[in-house]
Amino acid sequence: MLKGLGGLGDMAKMMKSAQELQTKMAQMQEDLHNVMVTGEAGAGLVKATASAKGDLKGLDIDPSIFNGDDKEVVEDLILAAIKDAQAKAAEKAQEEMTKLTESMGLPKDIKLPF
């Protein structure tokens, strides 16, 4: 015995959920531009700030590292701080994606977009 639209009702519900997920994902992607993370190197002598999307937003370099002829060390510290910020950005983005998928009842290890 068929009730209402039967399988079509389930399909409509699934399509509505997919649309809702798409809308929430777009909003989350936009929000990640405003979430900031900070990577550090040299025990905090160099700090890089990036959005959770991974865009570098700023550098804070302690002036004490400019003493001497350690140009390569300074460059390495800057790169390390940027890489740390990028890793934290990726981690934060994944954390936000997990929150979103779990809030919609999807498995937390689902890979999106499909």
Side-chain angles (χ1 to χ4, degrees):
M1 188 174 219
L2 292 174
K3 293 182 180 180
L5 297 175
L8 292 178
D10 290 342
M11 179 64 85
K13 184 178 178 183
M14 194 167 53
M15 291 299 289
K16 184 178 179 188
S17 292
Q19 217 171 18
E20 183 181 339
L21 176 61
Q22 184 178 15
T23 301
K24 287 184 176 183
M25 281 184 59
Q27 182 61 50
M28 182 200 71
Q29 291 295 323
E30 186 62 34
D31 291 346
L32 290 177
H33 285 288
N34 299 317
V35 175
M36 296 297 142
V37 295
T38 301
E40 296 184 8
L45 291 174
V46 177
K47 297 176 184 174
T49 302
S51 73
K53 291 288 287 181
D55 298 326
L56 186 62
K57 298 294 184 178
L59 283 173
D60 180 24
I61 302 171
D62 188 299
S64 69
I65 67 171
F66 293 114
N67 297 334
D69 296 322
D70 295 331
K71 179 180 181 285
E72 292 82 16
V73 172
V74 172
E75 290 169 345
D76 288 345
L77 288 173
I78 292 169
L79 287 174
I82 291 170
K83 287 179 183 179
D84 187 40
Q86 289 172 330
K88 287 178 178 177
E91 185 179 309
K92 184 66 172 175
Q94 183 58 48
E95 181 183 304
E96 293 300 315
M97 179 63 77
T98 298
K99 285 181 195 176
L100 174 64
T101 56
E102 286 179 343
S103 75
M104 298 212 51
L106 298 170
K108 72 177 185 176
D109 58 349
I110 192 168
K111 301 292 181 215
L112 295 174
F114 298 104

